[in-house]
Amino acid sequence: MMLLTVAPRLLILPDRLYHYRRERPGSASCGRDPRLGDFRMDLMGMESLARFWGERGLLDSPAAFGLVDYCMELMRRHFIMKEGAFFKASPEDREVLLSGWKKWLELVGAENVLPSLDRWDRAFCRLLLDCPLRSNFFSALHSRLMSSRKGRRGAYYTLKRHLMK
């Protein structure tokens, strides 16, 4: 993502040129919980990318959508997947994850970023920005019922239900 800022042209190959296996005996990923460790590294990488792009004035360019999309993909797995870091982490780690996300959104300019995202990514960002959430009986019931849905809608309401606790 840093090289993208200086590349005169970019060619994307749809082919897989490598195969990476996690937790293979003898590998660096063996013996640690990848779900809980990755989010800190992802947050640090996202923050350094945003600062790098910001220093070069590229956060206002159309290419910033690629940066945002790339980072959204990284963070979605931590927040939306049930085996992600948010659902497995301690309350302190959850707070680190939420505050890191909010800090990144400030760096890239949330007011400029949100309109370029699709409906569910926008809702996801707003949900995390509004945290902590207030709940009442009806909102908790609605989130519980909707969390049984499939796909991104169900994942959104599952996260919302956990943020209300």
Side-chain angles (χ1 to χ4, degrees):
M1 291 303 287
M2 289 180 173
L3 290 175
L4 184 63
T5 63
V6 294
R9 293 187 319 184
L10 186 66
L11 174 66
I12 299 172
L13 299 173
D15 304 324
R16 291 183 185 180
L17 301 175
Y18 65 91
H19 177 73
Y20 179 74
R21 287 188 341 206
R22 293 185 81 129
E23 298 296 322
R24 181 181 51 80
S27 73
S29 66
C30 187
R32 67 181 179 87
D33 188 346
R35 294 177 302 262
L36 297 179
D38 284 351
F39 83 86
R40 284 193 172 85
M41 293 302 291
D42 287 346
L43 286 172
M44 287 182 357
M46 287 167 44
E47 184 178 336
S48 70
L49 277 173
R51 289 188 190 286
F52 183 85
W53 281 50
E55 290 166 1
R56 285 153 183 75
L58 296 169
L59 289 176
D60 297 325
S61 73
F65 178 75
L67 173 71
V68 171
D69 189 49
Y70 173 76
C71 292
M72 287 293 299
E73 186 64 33
L74 283 176
M75 292 311 287
R76 230 183 271 124
R77 67 187 170 121
H78 295 304
F79 282 107
I80 291 180
M81 294 170 51
K82 289 185 181 176
E83 61 274 357
F86 182 79
F87 296 103
K88 303 288 184 189
S90 67
E92 295 81 23
D93 282 342
R94 282 184 177 189
E95 189 55 42
V96 169
L97 189 55
L98 285 169
S99 64
W101 176 256
K102 289 177 183 181
K103 184 177 181 181
W104 178 79
L105 274 175
E106 288 175 16
L107 282 173
V108 297
E111 66 281 345
N112 298 330
V113 169
L114 291 179
S116 66
L117 300 175
D118 72 18
R119 175 182 169 201
W120 287 109
D121 282 344
R122 255 193 327 271
F124 168 74
C125 289
R126 286 196 183 107
L127 179 65
L128 295 175
L129 285 171
D130 293 341
C131 200
L133 301 176
R134 295 180 187 199
S135 74
N136 59 40
F137 174 76
F138 294 108
S139 63
L141 178 64
H142 183 257
S143 291
R144 180 170 288 286
L145 292 171
M146 293 300 286
S147 65
S148 66
R149 301 283 306 256
K150 300 277 187 220
R152 293 176 79 183
R153 178 177 290 174
Y156 168 84
Y157 282 103
T158 300
L159 177 62
K160 185 173 182 177
R161 190 179 75 197
H162 285 276
L163 289 172
M164 283 191 227
K165 291 182 178 180

